[in-house]
Amino acid sequence: MNIKEIYSKQRLFFNSNKTKDISFRIKVLKKLKAVLKENEELMFKAIYDDFGKSEFETYASELSLIYHEINNSIKNIHKWSKKKRVATGIANFPGKSYIMPEPLGVTLIIGAWNYPYQLSLVPAISSIAAGNTVIIKPSEVPTRTSKVLAKIINAAFSEDFLTVVEGGVEETTEILKNRFDKIFFTGSTSVGKIIYQAAANHLTPVTLELGGKSPTFVLSDTNIKITAKRIVWAKFFNAGQTCVAPDYLLVDKSIEVKLLDALKEEIEKCYPNYMDISDNYTRIINTKNFDRLCNLIDYDKLFFGGESNRNNRFISPTILKNISFEDNIMKDEIFGPILPVISFDDIDEAIKKVKEKEKPLACYIYSKNKIIKQKILEELSFGGGAVNDSIMHLTNTNLPFGGVGLSGIGSYHGKYGFETFSHYKSILEKSFWFEPNMKYPPYTEKKMKIIKWLLG
Ligand code: NAD
C-alpha cells in the first residue's frame, strides 16, 4: 500500500468533478450492492471464522443494514442533493437565497471490529451518495473479515475513487498524516481522542462514533415477560459486543426477583445448547477481550451463567445481581455477554447516579408510565435510545444515529449520513434590475432614518 499515492489519485479524481454527477453516484451504489450480493457467502464465512457469528446475525445486523442504506440513498439522493430556497429579507431586496449541498472531497472511514462490514460500509455509502471519494480502513482485529472486505471492494472499484486499505495502529497513523476533507471514525473513546487530535492538525472535520455504558431502566409497571425477551435479545446478540447493547440494568426493587427469573427463562429458551459450538451464539473476538471479560465476573454476585472456555473464546450469557455503582464492572463499557443488575427504591436516586457517569451512547426505558418515561428522557443526556425496546432504534434510518459527550460527535444514517459528508454552501443571488442607493455613502440623516425604520 502506498497511501500517499492513493490519496493523491483520489484528490485528482475528486477534482475532476466526476463525483458531482448524481448518476455516477447512483451507478456506484448499485454496483456496490451487486458486488456484495455476489460475495455474500464469502462474507458470511469470513465473519464466522473470525468470531463464530451466525449467518442470520450477520445478515440481520450487517448486510441488511448495508442494503437498506444503499436503497434508501438511491431513492432519496436527488431530494437530498437539491438546493434549498430560503427567505432573503429586506436588506437584500431584490434577490434570492439558497443552500447548496456539496461534497467535502477525499474522505477517510475508520471502522471498528464488532460489526466489521456495516461500520465501514454504511458511512461509505453516505459518503459516496454525497459525492466524495472514500478510503476505508477497516478494523484489523477480525483479520479474515478485513481481508475479504479489501478483496471484494478493491477488485470491483478503482482506488482513485473507493478503496479499502488494511492495517492496524502503524498504518492508520500513516494514513492520518494526509489532509482529508472528512474523517469518520467508529471505535473506542480513547482512540477517538487520538483521531480527533490527528484531524486537528489539518482542521479536518470529524464524526466520532464511540461507546459508553448504556443504562436500561426497568420500572415496576412494565410487562416483565416482553421486557425480559427484548433485553436478552439485545444484550446477547453478537455476545454483547454491540456499542448500543444494554450495558447494565436499573430495576425497581419491587420486581427485581420476577425480572431476574424472566431473564433466566428467556436465556434458556433462546440459547438452549449454548455450551456447544452453537451457530446461534457468537464467540468473543479475541483472547485479550475474553480475559478482560472473565475478570469482570464476580462469582459472589453471580445469578446466572458464568461459564467460559478460553479455547474457543466462549462466555455464556451471564447475569450478575446485587451490583452497585461502585463495583468494578460499573467502571468501563462491558462490551460482552455479562449483564449487571442494580436495583433501586427511588427513581430520582437512580437517575442521579447515571448522571454522575459520562453521557452514554444509548439509554432504554421499560415502563408504561408516561410521566416517568418523560422524566428520564428529559433529565438524562445520551446519544439515542428506545422506550420499551433496546438497540432497534438504530435500524430506523429516519433517526440520526450518534453519541454525545464522550460517546461521540456527530451522527449518520439516512439523510443524516448524507449531511455528515456534505458541506452546505450558502448563496445569495442578486439581479441587476434595481439598485437602491441606501447602503452607499455619503450617509445622510435621511438614510439613517430610513435604515432605522427598516431594520430597527
Ligand atoms: P478501537 O478504538 O480499538 O479501534 C477502532 C479503529 O481504530 C480500528 O480500525 C483500529 O485499527 C484503529 N486504531 C486503534 N488504535 C489506534 C491508534 N492508536 N491510532 C490510530 N488508529 C487506531 O475500537 P474497537 O475495539 O474496534 O471497537 C470497540 C469500541 O467501539 C467500543 O467502545 C464500542 O462501543 C465502540 N463502537 C461504537 C460504535 C458506534 O456506532 N458508536 C459502533 C461500534 C463500536
Side-chain angles (χ1 to χ4, degrees):
M1 165 203 63
N2 183 340
I3 183 64
K4 263 219 129 11
E5 202 181 306
I6 297 174
Y7 172 85
S8 304
K9 279 186 185 174
Q10 291 218 352
R11 179 67 61 204
L12 262 180
F13 190 81
F14 181 74
N15 286 341
S16 75
N17 290 321
K18 286 198 180 76
T19 65
K20 302 265 171 84
D21 178 359
I22 292 185
S23 61
F24 170 82
R25 304 182 201 173
I26 293 175
K27 218 164 82 189
V28 172
L29 291 174
K30 284 186 174 163
K31 182 172 171 186
L32 178 60
K33 185 173 173 187
V35 165
L36 296 175
K37 288 254 172 212
E38 266 167 40
N39 287 286
E40 274 182 3
E41 285 310 312
L42 211 59
M43 294 172 82
F44 284 141
K45 185 171 179 332
I47 220 163
Y48 184 82
D49 290 345
D50 275 328
F51 51 125
K53 182 161 159 166
S54 69
E55 284 192 11
F56 183 90
E57 281 199 8
T58 300
Y59 196 89
S61 63
E62 300 253 29
L63 296 177
S64 72
L65 299 184
I66 294 167
Y67 295 148
H68 175 73
E69 198 68 41
I70 293 177
N71 296 342
N72 193 39
S73 297
I74 292 173
K75 189 171 144 211
N76 290 296
I77 194 165
H78 286 285
K79 189 168 84 190
W80 295 341
S81 315
K82 260 200 190 127
K83 63 182 179 193
K84 191 170 159 247
R85 280 286 289 266
V86 293
T88 294
I90 189 88
N92 288 305
F93 178 81
K96 59 183 177 183
S97 303
Y98 43 88
I99 303 163
M100 284 175 70
E102 67 171 15
L104 292 166
V106 181
T107 64
L108 171 66
I109 292 164
I110 302 175
W113 60 261
N114 55 328
Y115 292 97
Y117 298 131
Q118 63 110 338
L119 294 176
S120 292
L121 289 175
V122 169
I125 291 159
S126 295
S127 185
I128 293 165
N132 302 289
T133 69
V134 183
I135 296 176
I136 297 172
K137 207 301 289 177
S139 169
E140 74 287 15
V141 174
T143 45
R144 299 160 186 102
T145 312
S146 168
K147 273 201 175 51
V148 158
L149 193 62
K151 188 174 158 195
I152 295 171
I153 300 294
N154 294 349
F157 296 95
S158 157
E159 68 179 8
D160 53 7
F161 170 65
L162 167 65
T163 195
V164 174
V165 174
E166 288 190 273
V169 178
E170 197 185 316
E171 290 81 359
T172 315
T173 307
E174 200 52 39
I175 296 171
L176 285 167
K177 288 182 183 156
N178 295 284
R179 180 179 170 179
F180 288 94
D181 298 296
K182 172 86 191 184
I183 299 176
F184 186 104
F185 169 81
T186 304
S188 59
T189 301
S190 56
V191 178
K193 289 178 185 173
I194 297 172
I195 304 295
Y196 206 2
Q197 275 166 358
N201 288 330
H202 301 293
L203 278 190
T204 296
V206 294
T207 296
L208 303 176
E209 295 283 338
L210 312 174
K213 280 187 93 58
S214 301
T216 296
F217 290 87
V218 186
L219 289 128
S220 57
D221 65 337
T222 196
N223 177 322
I224 293 183
K225 204 171 159 55
I226 297 180
T227 298
K229 198 173 177 68
R230 292 178 184 167
I231 291 174
V232 164
W233 177 81
K235 177 71 186 184
F236 300 110
F237 192 90
N238 210 28
Q241 301 166 113
T242 303
C243 57
V244 283
D247 189 272
Y248 60 99
L249 301 191
L250 286 157
V251 185
D252 188 298
K253 213 180 205 99
S254 64
I255 56 156
E256 186 189 7
V257 173
K258 276 192 191 151
L259 182 77
L260 283 168
D261 287 343
L263 291 168
K264 175 174 174 275
E265 202 175 298
E266 192 55 38
I267 294 173
E268 285 169 341
K269 207 156 69 183
C270 284
Y271 305 105
N273 303 312
Y274 61 75
M275 285 302 284
D276 301 331
I277 298 281
S278 152
D279 281 352
N280 285 328
Y281 189 65
T282 307
R283 306 295 150 181
I284 305 305
I285 185 68
N286 52 24
T287 41
K288 186 175 149 212
N289 271 294
F290 174 89
D291 293 340
R292 175 185 65 80
L293 287 163
C294 287
N295 281 331
L296 291 176
I297 302 175
D298 177 347
Y299 283 89
D300 290 340
K301 299 195 172 183
L302 185 69
F303 169 73
F304 183 78
E307 296 96 351
S308 61
N309 180 346
R310 200 168 190 269
N311 291 331
N312 57 21
R313 302 183 319 278
F314 161 83
I315 298 178
S316 69
T318 296
I319 299 176
L320 305 179
K321 66 173 185 176
N322 297 330
I323 296 294
S324 80
F325 276 91
E326 284 64 49
D327 276 290
N328 202 22
I329 197 157
M330 291 304 294
K331 290 204 170 73
D332 296 312
E333 180 183 5
I334 298 169
F335 220 55
I338 308 167
L339 183 62
V341 178
I342 299 176
S343 64
F344 66 83
D345 292 310
D346 176 2
I347 185 69
D348 285 307
E349 217 19 65
I351 294 175
K352 190 170 153 239
K353 283 290 201 186
V354 175
K355 251 192 200 161
E356 284 167 9
K357 300 188 86 63
E358 295 298 341
K359 295 177 181 179
L361 184 57
C363 175
Y364 307 110
I365 306 158
Y366 287 85
S367 173
K368 294 176 203 148
N369 183 320
K370 268 194 187 150
I371 295 167
I372 298 211
K373 280 187 276 193
Q374 203 52 29
K375 182 183 173 65
I376 298 171
L377 291 178
E378 279 174 13
E379 291 187 13
L380 284 180
S381 178
F382 52 90
V387 175
N388 299 330
D389 208 349
S390 302
I391 292 190
M392 290 304 287
H393 61 296
L394 77 79
T395 62
N396 180 357
T397 46
N398 297 315
L399 294 171
F401 180 76
V404 58
L406 288 200
S407 60
I409 296 175
S411 62
Y412 71 132
H413 288 180
K415 105 173 151 76
Y416 304 99
F418 183 93
E419 288 172 3
T420 282
F421 285 98
S422 298
H423 165 63
Y424 285 81
K425 201 151 65 182
S426 297
I427 304 297
L428 167 70
E429 188 174 325
K430 296 285 254 311
S431 66
F432 293 111
W433 67 268
F434 180 54
E435 179 61 358
N437 232 359
M438 259 303 295
K439 72 178 181 216
Y440 298 104
Y443 305 124
T444 61
E445 243 176 69
K446 192 175 163 205
K447 282 185 181 176
M448 188 65 183
K449 265 191 194 147
I450 296 173
I451 200 172
K452 278 188 165 175
W453 178 71
L454 280 174
L455 303 175

